[in-house]
């Protein structure tokens, strides 16, 4: 057929390009989706863009759209929203015209099995639906962190996932919730979403001292989602005896230089990872991925997505989006959530 689709590829470190290909007809049990919006997951995708991912690591064996590892060239991305435009012979034609979300790389049109798609609820716009993985990751982080009544909590990193995590934690009856981030704009958004206090990382050394006289020293819980290994060391310093640290960051090839020679050992500090591909074993008796997704949709309906989405860039200009994100540490004008739009 004459119609052409475009797919984004990470070609080499610091280089992305759009490749054209034919748009095939869907197989008997497939549908074709025309993409409207896809969200760039800056934390993960910049690791790919900068060649900071272990190349032997599989892209994501839990998602049907991915195969192989992160060796260049690689097609990546996992937050696409679009409309079903064609159905295979064995697919209910009711799918045609439906707005759907897919864990699919950035591309203008793609094929998928219907059971791998998530129909977009009427309560969400396409822009909000593109942030479903973000809300789901934050939900998973809070499930793993298991905050309790009256606890003192800090979130290190007020990027997109950090902000959603703060918004969710703010609904708990905590004693205090502190957001730590270097950018004033992000700290302001964290306060808007419910953080009681916000700090620059350079001032985080006093986190563990913030308590009432009758409370034990140190934080009860720290969530590290900044992508900065140094923030994990700050979290170790901040939590007190029997404190918990949940790490949502993926550092790729960056090393975390932790000071574990002080109180860490005697204080019985617990450090655990949280990753959205799976639900923690102790939660699987009652939590399914469908239930977690429903909770993520509820979270999306409460978070001011219009303030978090700072840039919408045409798919044709995708290289500019990654250049912009790659310079995000330059200052306050840096982007938060970048979306690619498809006309």
């Amino acid at each position: 057929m004459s119609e052409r689709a475009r797919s984004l590829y990470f070609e080499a470190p610091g280089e992305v390009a759009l490749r054209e290909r034919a748009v095939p007809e869907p197989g008997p049990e497939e549908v074709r989706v025309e993409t409207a919006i896809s969200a760039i997951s800056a934390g993960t995708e910049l690791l790919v863009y900068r060649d900071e991912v272990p190349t032997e690591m599989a892209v994501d064996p839990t998602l049907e759209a991915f195969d192989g590892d992160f060796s260049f060239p690689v097609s990546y991305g996992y937050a696409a929203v679009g409309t079903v435009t064609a159905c295979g012979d064995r697919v209910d034609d009711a799918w045609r015209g439906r707005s759907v979300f897919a864990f699919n790389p950035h591309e203008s049109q793609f094929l998928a099995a219907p059971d791998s798609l998530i129909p977009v609820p009427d309560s969400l716009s396409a822009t909000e639906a593109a942030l479903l993985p973000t809300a789901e990751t934050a939900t998973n982080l809070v499930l793993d962190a298991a905050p309790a009544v009256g606890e003192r909590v800090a979130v290190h990193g007020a990027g997109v996932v950090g902000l959603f995590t703060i918004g969710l934690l703010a609904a708990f009856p905590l004693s205090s919730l502190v957001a730590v981030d270097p950018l004033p704009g992000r700290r302001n958004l964290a306060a808007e979403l419910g953080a009681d206090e916000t700090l620059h990382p350079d001032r985080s050394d006093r986190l563990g001292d913030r308590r009432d006289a009758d409370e034990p020293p140190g934080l009860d819980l720290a969530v590290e989602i900044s992508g900065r290994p140094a923030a994990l060391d700050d979290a170790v310093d901040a939590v007190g005896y029997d404190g918990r640290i949940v790490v949502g960051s993926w550092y790729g090839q960056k090393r975390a230089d932790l000071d574990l020679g002080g109180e860490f050992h005697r204080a019985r500090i617990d450090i655990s990872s949280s990753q959205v591909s799976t639900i923690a074993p102790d939660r699987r008796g009652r939590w399914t991925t469908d239930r977690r997704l429903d909770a993520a949709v509820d979270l999306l309906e409460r978070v001011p997505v219009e303030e978090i989405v700072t840039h919408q860039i045409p798919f044709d200009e995708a290289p500019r989006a990654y250049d912009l994100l790659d310079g995000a540490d330059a200052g306050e004008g840096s982007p938060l959530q970048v979306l690619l739009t498809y006309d």
Side-chain angles (χ1 to χ4, degrees), residues 49-267:
Y49 183 76
R50 295 167 177 166
D51 195 21
E52 294 177 349
V53 177
T55 55
E56 70 278 3
M57 178 175 285
V59 174
D60 194 330
T62 67
L63 299 178
E64 295 181 12
F66 301 105
D67 187 22
D69 57 31
F70 284 100
S71 300
F72 293 116
V74 59
S75 180
Y76 194 60
Y78 51 81
V81 178
T83 302
V84 174
T85 58
C87 299
D89 294 340
R90 299 177 189 171
V91 176
D92 187 339
D93 204 53
W95 278 95
R96 192 185 303 271
R98 186 173 294 182
S99 178
V100 294
F101 172 89
F103 292 98
N104 196 83
H106 303 293
E107 50 189 348
S108 61
Q109 297 190 59
F110 58 91
L111 301 181
D115 61 6
S116 70
L117 301 174
I118 299 170
V120 174
D122 291 339
S123 59
L124 297 183
S125 67
T127 297
E128 292 167 333
L131 298 189
L132 266 173
T134 303
E136 192 173 25
T137 298
T139 302
N140 205 65
L141 268 169
V142 175
L143 283 171
D144 289 340
V149 173
E151 287 196 314
R152 300 189 303 280
V153 181
V155 176
H156 294 259
V160 184
V161 177
L163 289 169
F164 273 79
T165 301
I166 290 163
L168 196 52
L169 286 169
F172 285 79
L174 304 174
S175 173
S176 63
L177 175 60
V178 182
V180 183
D181 195 273
L183 297 179
R186 297 186 181 191
R187 296 198 299 271
N188 290 340
L189 272 173
E192 182 180 329
L193 285 166
D196 300 304
E197 185 177 3
T198 66
L199 291 174
H200 189 283
D202 290 345
R203 297 179 56 216
S204 64
D205 58 323
R206 302 292 294 176
L207 268 174
D209 298 333
R210 296 165 186 267
R211 62 188 177 96
D212 295 331
D214 58 347
E215 294 178 332
L219 296 175
D220 300 288
L221 169 65
V223 177
E224 199 294 288
I225 191 64
S226 71
R228 298 172 52 252
L232 181 54
D233 208 31
D234 292 341
V236 171
D237 288 340
V239 298
Y241 181 84
D242 206 25
R244 313 182 313 279
I245 301 170
V246 178
V247 183
S249 293
W250 183 22
Y251 301 134
Q253 295 177 349
K254 292 179 286 188
R255 305 290 293 182
D257 184 15
L258 297 181
D259 179 8
L260 303 182
E263 289 298 313
F264 171 80
H265 182 66
R266 290 182 179 176

Side-chain angles (χ1 to χ4, degrees), residues 6 8 18 34-40 79-82 105-109 125-128 130 309-322 337-343:
R6 294 162 295 158
L8 185 147
L18 301 183
E34 183 173 334
T35 311
I37 290 176
S38 63
I40 295 177
V81 178
H106 303 293
E107 50 189 348
S108 61
Q109 297 190 59
S125 67
T127 297
E128 292 167 333
V309 174
T310 57
H311 293 75
Q312 297 195 40
I313 295 177
F315 189 47
D316 287 341
E317 301 174 27
R320 180 168 68 88
Y322 289 91
Q337 176 63 65
V338 177
L339 301 180
L340 297 175
T341 58
Y342 302 70
D343 294 325

